[in-house]
Amino acid sequence: MGTTANFQVLRHAVIDASVADRWKTALLEWEVISVEEHPTSEGECVCGQTNLLWMYTIANDANGRTLFPIGSTCVNHFGRTDLNRQITVFRKLLLVRDAAKSGSPITMDTNFFSRAALSFLYEEGVFTPDAYNFGDGWNDYDFLLKMFGVRDKDAITSKQRWKIRKLIDLKITPFVLTDSRLG
Ligand SMILES: [Zn+2]
């Protein structure tokens, strides 16, 4: 099935599950709420596209209905920046989780994070208040955002490295290993 045919199938599935009865308005009712990784990359999108590794669930804000699995190509078809941003955030956090599971190093750079991913973690309350952040998780978020933005990673001091490591190990890793939205 070609891309156009897939899009027609997606469009019908979305409109059928929406309150609005036209694609242009129906597409505004949806959010990306979770992702699952297919163990052998054989997921099949509701549009018929096969061999999905990342299978997203989208939920309708207006009537509570969900559609699963949805591939990233179909999320792109919605043409909404916020949805595309959310799938990127989920994908980054899955990479963090996979590395945490296998015990490989997790670095504070674009291999594992994005500004949006850090913002998501902050909004989810991952940076709990403690003595190191003076009782305000925003300080952890702000620190990590600055470290993420450092172009020359060799310029990061050993003290800063230690702090990054602690935040990844004690706050981010437990979240990505247990959050139900990550499969
Ligand atoms: Zn699809």
Side-chain angles (χ1 to χ4, degrees):
M1 198 156 44
T3 310
T4 310
N6 284 57
F7 176 63
Q8 297 308 327
V9 176
L10 168 80
R11 208 173 62 130
H12 283 293
V14 167
I15 291 169
D16 281 351
S18 297
V19 174
D21 55 9
R22 298 178 63 182
W23 168 248
K24 279 199 158 113
T25 40
L27 68 86
L28 299 172
E29 298 174 8
W30 297 82
E31 302 299 330
V32 179
I33 59 162
S34 64
V35 62
E36 274 179 45
E37 219 170 31
H38 195 285
T40 53
S41 296
E42 290 172 301
E44 185 175 339
C45 182
V46 297
C47 77
Q49 191 203 332
T50 53
N51 302 319
L52 300 182
L53 171 58
W54 291 300
M55 307 180 294
Y56 298 92
T57 299
I58 60 173
N60 187 297
D61 287 338
N63 61 19
R65 291 187 64 178
T66 57
L67 285 174
F68 172 86
I70 300 283
S72 60
T73 306
C74 273
V75 175
N76 295 155
H77 279 313
F78 282 72
R80 282 176 48 193
T81 310
D82 55 338
L83 301 189
N84 292 334
R85 172 184 184 268
Q86 190 58 48
I87 62 170
T88 307
V89 167
F90 279 139
R91 200 152 64 209
K92 293 282 185 191
L93 296 181
L94 281 182
L95 292 171
V96 174
R97 193 190 59 180
D98 290 347
K101 277 185 175 171
S102 65
S104 5
I106 300 161
T107 46
M108 188 45 60
D109 54 31
T110 53
N111 290 320
F112 292 98
F113 295 96
S114 63
R115 288 173 192 284
L118 290 171
S119 169
F120 176 80
L121 292 170
Y122 171 65
E123 285 158 22
E124 292 300 316
V126 168
F127 306 119
T128 49
D130 59 29
Y132 298 102
N133 60 33
F134 308 103
D136 187 348
W138 189 86
N139 290 316
D140 288 342
Y141 167 60
D142 186 51
F143 168 75
L144 289 178
L145 209 50
K146 283 183 180 131
M147 295 298 104
F148 176 80
V150 173
R151 283 196 195 167
D152 176 13
K153 301 295 179 191
D154 291 337
I156 297 175
T157 68
S158 55
K159 196 179 167 188
Q160 288 169 330
R161 272 177 223 289
W162 181 85
K163 190 171 170 179
I164 293 168
R165 174 65 34 224
K166 286 291 170 195
L167 290 172
I168 290 174
D169 289 351
L170 302 178
K171 297 189 176 184
I172 296 173
T173 299
F175 174 80
V176 297
L177 287 176
T178 57
D179 193 81
S180 59
R181 284 165 294 185
L182 302 174

